[in-house]
Amino acid sequence: MNQLLITVCLLTCSNIFMTFAWYGHLRFLHNQVWIVAVFISWGIALFEYLLQVPANRIGFQVASAGQLKIIQEVISLSVFIPFSIYILKEPFKTDYIWAGLCLLGAVFFMFKDKILVL
């Protein structure tokens, strides 16, 4: 399997855990004291790191650190938007579209050497 595809898959799974660790407590633990949310979030974040670290190590063999960061940011927004709509019950905002377009620009500039090779 392609190393970049493995990286994207691992980063996507990692990002799902990250999003729940960072924002899930706002929905599911809002009645708990903050320290409970911290420890539960740390527990969830452990699984994020168990996926994220190997993803970046694999990805660094075929992409630069900057490219990996931009891939992660695109995945992060792609995971966060549905999470905020379906889990946090927030309305969809056109700002998500503008942010996504900005990230597409970032992808172009970080990968232009690979994209423009004919």
Side-chain angles (χ1 to χ4, degrees):
M1 191 179 219
N2 182 317
Q3 288 178 314
L4 197 55
L5 182 60
I6 293 169
T7 299
V8 168
C9 290
L10 286 171
L11 285 176
T12 300
C13 293
S14 167
N15 239 282
I16 291 169
F17 281 107
M18 179 198 74
T19 302
F20 272 94
W22 286 17
Y23 302 103
H25 62 88
L26 299 174
R27 166 78 186 228
F28 301 111
L29 300 172
H30 62 276
N31 292 329
Q32 298 289 328
V33 294
W34 68 271
I35 195 73
V36 171
V38 166
F39 284 110
I40 290 173
S41 292
W42 279 353
I44 295 169
L46 170 65
F47 293 103
E48 176 214 347
Y49 279 95
L50 289 174
L51 297 169
Q52 178 265 333
V53 170
N56 283 330
R57 291 175 72 104
I58 293 167
F60 195 61
Q61 296 174 28
V62 294
S64 70
Q67 290 170 332
L68 289 171
K69 182 61 181 171
I70 293 302
I71 291 168
Q72 188 276 330
E73 293 301 334
V74 169
I75 292 168
S76 181
L77 187 62
S78 300
V79 169
F80 179 76
I81 291 171
F83 181 88
S84 69
I85 293 169
Y86 294 111
I87 303 296
L88 298 179
K89 307 294 186 199
E90 293 188 351
F92 180 81
K93 298 177 182 176
T94 54
D95 292 343
Y96 293 144
I97 294 170
W98 303 126
L101 290 173
C102 289
L103 282 175
L104 285 178
V107 168
F108 172 77
F109 287 111
M110 290 304 293
F111 286 90
K112 70 180 182 219
D113 293 341
K114 293 182 182 186
I115 294 170
L116 298 177
V117 174
L118 300 175

